[in-house]
Amino acid sequence: RYFACAGVCLLSIGMAGCASSPQRPTTAPQGFFSAWAAPQGRIAEQAPKLDKSTVRVVVRPTIDGTALRIKLENTIARTPVTFAAVYVGELGHDASLVGGTNKALTFEGQSKITLAPGAGVYSDAIDFSVRAFQRLAVSIDVVSAEEISTHAVGLAANFYANGHRAKSESGERFTLLPTRAQGAVSYPVD
């Protein structure tokens, strides 16, 4: 089919306070650490039109943390991409989020962001308690995106919906995206 990771661009999660948890306190300096990333390898040959839509990307940070920020990148596209809003919440069932967990992210205080070709931006940090390997969803309201970047095989479910629905915790109207890009071949591992 067309698209493995629902990311319009590279998406990574950074966690703060990752060296400690309630069970393992530390006196080490606190900072952000990369806890999850999805590399994008090429521009999709066939992809859904993402203008005026929402992409919900499932992520699983690998370390505990007390705050988070994300990085969005328009790494390989030749055209700009614009997002109206970005949210992060705890994934419930399918595309639904656990009630009360969906939090708005901002970029230098603004919810709307346009990334030029090759550009990247970190969100402002928010307080958000995360356990290692907890399933989160980053929901991105796309205003316009002419080129969609992908990688060959996605190992997590990702979702797409018409209209701007990032703020909604409901999974209604979201469609599961394929997990294998067109032309990708997988081989069994013994």
Side-chain angles (χ1 to χ4, degrees):
R1 308 270 209 131
Y2 45 80
F3 194 69
C5 177
V8 175
C9 51
L10 180 116
L11 170 66
S12 65
I13 301 283
M15 306 295 295
C18 298
S20 68
S21 70
Q23 295 79 25
R24 296 184 309 261
T26 183
T27 57
Q30 301 294 309
F32 281 91
F33 301 88
S34 293
W36 184 92
Q40 304 303 302
R42 63 181 181 172
I43 299 296
E45 295 169 18
Q46 298 176 357
K49 184 97 169 124
L50 291 184
D51 292 356
K52 299 178 185 144
S53 69
T54 301
V55 176
R56 187 161 281 172
V57 181
V58 177
V59 301
R60 292 182 83 156
T62 56
I63 50 182
D64 293 343
T66 57
L68 66 76
R69 66 182 183 177
I70 71 167
K71 184 176 186 184
L72 296 173
E73 290 187 6
N74 192 15
T75 309
I76 62 174
R78 296 175 305 262
T79 57
V81 60
T82 301
F83 306 118
V86 180
Y87 282 73
V88 63
E90 183 179 349
L91 190 66
H93 181 70
D94 292 328
S96 296
L97 304 179
V98 173
T101 66
N102 204 23
K103 307 294 181 198
L105 296 172
T106 56
F107 302 85
E108 295 183 1
Q110 303 296 310
S111 59
K112 187 174 182 179
I113 184 78
T114 297
L115 295 176
V121 65
Y122 284 100
S123 70
D124 302 322
I126 62 168
D127 290 334
F128 198 103
S129 182
V130 176
R131 296 176 319 277
F133 303 104
Q134 177 181 14
R135 293 183 321 146
L136 303 179
V138 177
S139 302
I140 306 168
D141 284 340
V142 181
V143 174
S144 63
E146 291 181 33
E147 299 172 296
I148 312 302
S149 58
T150 71
H151 61 268
V153 178
L155 300 176
N158 292 293
F159 303 91
Y160 159 85
N162 288 318
H164 288 173
R165 304 189 45 75
K167 185 176 182 179
S168 174
E169 293 177 336
S170 170
E172 291 182 28
R173 300 188 192 152
F174 279 90
T175 302
L176 182 66
L177 288 166
T179 57
R180 183 176 296 159
Q182 181 179 8
V185 178
S186 63
Y187 299 95
V189 176
D190 293 330

